[in-house]
Amino acid sequence: MKALSFDGKLRLRTDVPEPSPSPGWAVVRPRLAGICGTDLQIIEGYRGFRGILGHEFAGIVERCDDPAWAGRRVVGEINIGCGHCEACRAGLERHCLERRVLGIAGHPGCMAEFCALPLANLVAVPDGLGDERAVFVEPLSAACEILEQLPLRGRERAVVLGDGTQGILCAWVLSTVLADVTLVGHHPAKREAARWHHLKTSPGPGREERSADLVVDATGSARGLAEAVDLCRPRGTVVLKTTIAEPFDIDLAPVVRKEITLVGSRCGRFRDGLQMLHDNPDLPLERLVTSRYPLESAGEAFERARQRESLKVLLEIQ
Amino acid sequence: MKALSFDGKLRLRTDVPEPSPSPGWAVVRPRLAGICGTDLQIIEGYRGFRGILGHEFAGIVERCDDPAWAGRRVVGEINIGCGHCEACRAGLERHCLERRVLGIAGHPGCMAEFCALPLANLVAVPDGLGDERAVFVEPLSAACEILEQLPLRGRERAVVLGDGTQGILCAWVLSTVLADVTLVGHHPAKREAARWHHLKTSPGPGREERSADLVVDATGSARGLAEAVDLCRPRGTVVLKTTIAEPFDIDLAPVVRKEITLVGSRCGRFRDGLQMLHDNPDLPLERLVTSRYPLESAGEAFERARQRESLKVLLEIQ
């Protein structure tokens, strides 16, 4: 089958063996896949992943031993837990220490004609939800994770740093529960794409954005955290959504002096992302799609995704 | 008066004018002062402080306009808030953005024949509590701050990294509410000093200390945080008690991957520290005193405090 593989270089291969279905697993035919910041980090060396890339997809179940799933349109949770540790038993496969992660760690990804996932990871896509919205369930669920992690009361003043896809999704998700949310980003076109209901946007943190109760760093850059800590009020909360491939220099003394709570935040539950889409049918996801490329032009698509003015770049697989 | 001053160099001066009492303030005559890691950081350049050092003391009220306080034995909260901002009104002077801090920021410290503090900062020392225990109220309250910040349920498994005074105090405080606490430190004599009730000690994090629910970094060193994050279980909590004068290099990706909550923690309320001393009269504070020096030998005392095998070094002021 065709697959986009990374072996130190990005390569479109045509000789990759198709996955064969194991009991309890499905072979899925992805139709649309999204390029994520993590994919760009991986080809910079993050986590040393080698193999087929991709973890955001909407597709069709091609083969499996459960007739209830065959032929269904699905998205798929990306963490594959061991199934028997404490985390897995608590439904937190995404924190299983032995987990593999679709296209990120130890398991081939979805930028291929076929990929394999446990049936337990599949989530059916409702009929009214097109592939071009469903492909956002993974990053949207990651944004929803903030709501699962933090006990928000509605009155908090929040600032999201970073106008990339994850920053915008975090700002949208927060603005469903908070009255005062500002997205800070340098790109006028991205700020324009982010406008939704009462969400405010700003080209740079001004006086208004200081002393925020909650600051989300979704800049994807090493300086984002320092800026987030600076904007956060004493005893406030900073959510760290950015993963950086390399260690970086930071002064954490202000975290101690201001007694800030810094919360690392990663993947979320797909049911939360789907619920968010169901409750907010006017969420303007289509504005986040910068471009679509066929899998055959994946090199070009990754180049496009890497440009600073790009938001989500999608790959059409078949 | 005599005072230990830092102007880029540590100097015992004899020509410092005595503080004069303002309305609502007290002039205090410290009898015993403790040298803290922060003092050592300050003479390494932390926060650019210049002036009289010291913020841990037990002393006598020498002069004030309230006869109820005159002549009383006291300790003193070290943060002097503006008195009218939101933080001050909430009793959080230690987070007032305009605050001065005794011997740390904008206000002369207690390593002098006299120092000045607002009456509101004074806390009377109960008769049964000697100066050599009362002088620990400040660092003990800082350890108690963890209990104020975190909702602990009693079942958490905690590891404290660092066998300095603050590490040991944090371990003792945690072991008053948690059944399973381990202090990790490299110095056999310090670990021996730390033994108290069910608190466990260990020369280095072994298998038993991994996947802890709560890890306190009180190492005072840049590598402590990385080790704390490594030991902490997914979705666990790391308390950062260490302040480092210089920015340092760290890989925060594991904080995101493991969704760790990192909590900066600083000063605590003196009433909590005093309550802890009242409830635990067998807290072996005297084991933490490495040595006592007269103020005149402050240079020697700071040298001693800087040695890795030292715990608390006290200055006898009069």
Side-chain angles (χ1 to χ4, degrees):
Chain A
M1 66 173 184
K2 278 183 293 194
L4 183 67
S5 185
F6 178 70
D7 58 8
K9 250 192 98 174
L10 207 56
R11 294 180 206 274
L12 185 70
R13 293 173 54 187
T14 53
D15 57 347
V16 179
E18 288 182 19
S20 42
S22 326
W25 283 61
V27 171
V28 175
R29 187 157 51 79
R31 297 207 294 199
L32 211 50
I35 300 174
C36 164
T38 304
D39 300 318
L40 301 176
Q41 290 282 335
I42 284 173
I43 64 179
E44 299 291 327
Y46 179 63
R47 299 194 74 182
F49 179 76
R50 295 288 183 273
I52 301 173
L53 289 173
H55 57 277
E56 301 177 359
F57 75 91
I60 305 285
V61 177
E62 179 79 9
R63 279 190 299 279
C64 70
D65 53 12
D66 181 345
W69 280 106
R72 290 192 77 173
R73 204 156 58 92
V74 294
V75 289
E77 299 264 6
I78 71 174
N79 293 282
I80 304 161
C82 71
H84 45 77
C85 71
E86 204 177 326
C88 286
R89 288 199 311 266
L92 282 170
E93 290 83 359
R94 59 197 192 276
H95 285 300
C96 168
L97 293 174
E98 305 295 320
R99 73 183 177 277
R100 294 172 290 159
V101 188
L102 184 72
I104 296 177
H107 192 71
C110 65
M111 292 174 178
E113 285 181 89
F114 300 100
C115 67
L117 273 177
L119 288 171
N121 284 45
L122 300 185
V123 183
V125 177
D127 281 345
L129 193 70
D131 285 352
E132 52 290 329
R133 289 178 77 76
V135 74
F136 280 96
V137 168
E138 198 283 332
L140 184 61
S141 301
C144 291
E145 179 77 346
I146 299 175
L147 302 189
E148 198 204 325
Q149 291 179 281
L150 300 185
L152 296 174
R153 288 176 304 179
R155 290 206 202 153
E156 292 86 352
R157 195 157 56 79
V159 173
V160 178
L161 299 180
D163 53 11
T165 304
Q166 186 58 224
I168 294 174
L169 292 174
C170 287
W172 286 349
V173 163
L174 285 174
S175 69
T176 64
V177 293
L178 301 181
D180 191 342
V181 183
T182 305
L183 177 82
V184 173
H186 299 307
H187 306 88
K190 292 183 178 182
R191 290 201 306 274
E192 190 55 37
R195 284 176 175 278
W196 187 57
H197 293 297
H198 58 278
L199 174 66
K200 294 178 281 187
T201 64
S202 161
R207 215 185 140 73
E208 295 246 319
E209 283 75 50
R210 302 203 69 82
S211 291
D213 302 295
L214 171 65
V215 186
V216 178
D217 170 25
T219 58
S221 83
R223 73 181 186 292
L225 178 59
E227 188 168 37
V229 167
D230 188 47
L231 291 177
C232 187
R233 70 162 168 83
R235 293 217 170 166
T237 301
V238 169
V239 173
L240 189 54
K241 271 289 181 196
T242 291
T243 49
I244 306 288
E246 298 294 319
F248 61 98
D249 224 35
I250 183 164
D251 178 8
L252 286 178
V255 173
V256 177
R257 272 205 300 277
K258 293 165 81 174
E259 296 196 317
I260 284 173
T261 296
L262 188 65
V263 180
S265 180
R266 195 171 48 101
C267 300
R269 295 177 298 206
F270 274 34
R271 65 165 192 256
D272 295 337
L274 277 164
Q275 189 67 43
M276 187 62 65
L277 286 177
H278 177 265
D279 296 344
N280 299 280
D282 69 336
L283 210 60
L285 292 170
E286 59 287 351
R287 285 198 228 135
L288 304 188
V289 179
T290 296
S291 198
R292 297 167 67 127
Y293 291 83
L295 180 61
E296 288 70 17
S297 307
E300 220 180 305
F302 268 72
E303 274 312 304
R304 184 68 183 270
R306 202 199 302 269
Q307 289 166 9
R308 294 177 60 84
E309 59 277 10
S310 292
L311 286 167
K312 184 61 71 186
V313 173
L314 298 177
L315 291 173
E316 297 166 347
I317 298 185
Q318 44 223 326
Chain B
M1 66 174 183
K2 277 183 292 194
L4 183 67
S5 184
F6 178 70
D7 60 6
K9 247 191 99 173
L10 207 55
R11 292 179 209 275
L12 184 71
R13 293 172 54 187
T14 54
D15 57 347
V16 180
E18 287 182 20
S20 43
S22 326
W25 284 61
V27 172
V28 175
R29 187 159 49 82
R31 298 206 295 196
L32 212 50
I35 300 175
C36 164
T38 304
D39 300 318
L40 300 176
Q41 290 282 332
I42 285 173
I43 64 178
E44 298 291 326
Y46 179 63
R47 300 194 73 184
F49 178 77
R50 293 289 182 273
I52 301 174
L53 289 174
H55 57 278
E56 302 178 357
F57 75 91
I60 304 286
V61 177
E62 179 78 11
R63 278 190 299 278
C64 71
D65 54 12
D66 182 346
W69 279 106
R72 292 192 75 172
R73 204 157 59 91
V74 294
V75 289
E77 299 263 7
I78 71 175
N79 293 280
I80 305 161
C82 70
H84 44 76
C85 71
E86 203 177 327
C88 286
R89 287 199 312 268
L92 282 171
E93 290 83 359
R94 59 196 191 276
H95 286 299
C96 168
L97 294 175
E98 306 295 321
R99 74 181 176 279
R100 293 172 292 157
V101 188
L102 185 71
I104 295 178
H107 191 71
C110 64
M111 292 174 180
E113 285 182 88
F114 300 100
C115 68
L117 273 178
L119 288 171
N121 284 46
L122 301 185
V123 183
V125 176
D127 281 345
L129 193 69
D131 285 353
E132 50 291 328
R133 289 179 76 78
V135 74
F136 280 96
V137 169
E138 198 282 334
L140 184 62
S141 301
C144 291
E145 180 77 346
I146 299 175
L147 302 188
E148 198 205 324
Q149 290 180 282
L150 300 183
L152 295 174
R153 288 176 303 179
R155 289 208 203 153
E156 291 87 352
R157 195 156 57 79
V159 173
V160 178
L161 299 180
D163 53 12
T165 305
Q166 187 58 225
I168 294 174
L169 292 174
C170 287
W172 286 348
V173 163
L174 285 174
S175 69
T176 65
V177 294
L178 302 181
D180 191 343
V181 183
T182 304
L183 177 80
V184 173
H186 299 308
H187 306 88
K190 292 183 179 183
R191 291 199 307 274
E192 190 55 36
R195 285 176 176 279
W196 187 57
H197 293 298
H198 58 278
L199 174 66
K200 294 177 281 187
T201 64
S202 161
R207 214 186 141 74
E208 294 245 319
E209 283 74 51
R210 302 203 69 81
S211 292
D213 301 296
L214 170 65
V215 186
V216 177
D217 170 26
T219 57
S221 82
R223 72 182 187 292
L225 178 59
E227 189 167 35
V229 167
D230 188 45
L231 291 177
C232 187
R233 71 162 169 82
R235 292 215 170 169
T237 302
V238 169
V239 173
L240 190 53
K241 270 288 179 196
T242 292
T243 50
I244 307 288
E246 299 293 320
F248 60 97
D249 222 37
I250 184 165
D251 177 10
L252 286 177
V255 173
V256 177
R257 273 206 299 276
K258 293 166 80 174
E259 295 195 319
I260 283 172
T261 296
L262 189 65
V263 180
S265 180
R266 195 171 48 102
C267 300
R269 295 177 298 204
F270 273 34
R271 65 164 191 256
D272 295 338
L274 277 165
Q275 189 67 44
M276 186 63 64
L277 286 177
H278 177 266
D279 296 345
N280 299 279
D282 69 335
L283 211 59
L285 292 170
E286 59 287 352
R287 284 198 229 136
L288 302 189
V289 180
T290 295
S291 199
R292 297 165 68 127
Y293 292 84
L295 181 60
E296 288 69 17
S297 307
E300 220 179 306
F302 269 70
E303 273 314 303
R304 184 69 182 271
R306 204 199 301 269
Q307 288 166 10
R308 294 177 60 84
E309 59 279 9
S310 292
L311 286 166
K312 183 61 71 186
V313 174
L314 298 177
L315 289 174
E316 295 166 349
I317 299 186
Q318 44 222 326

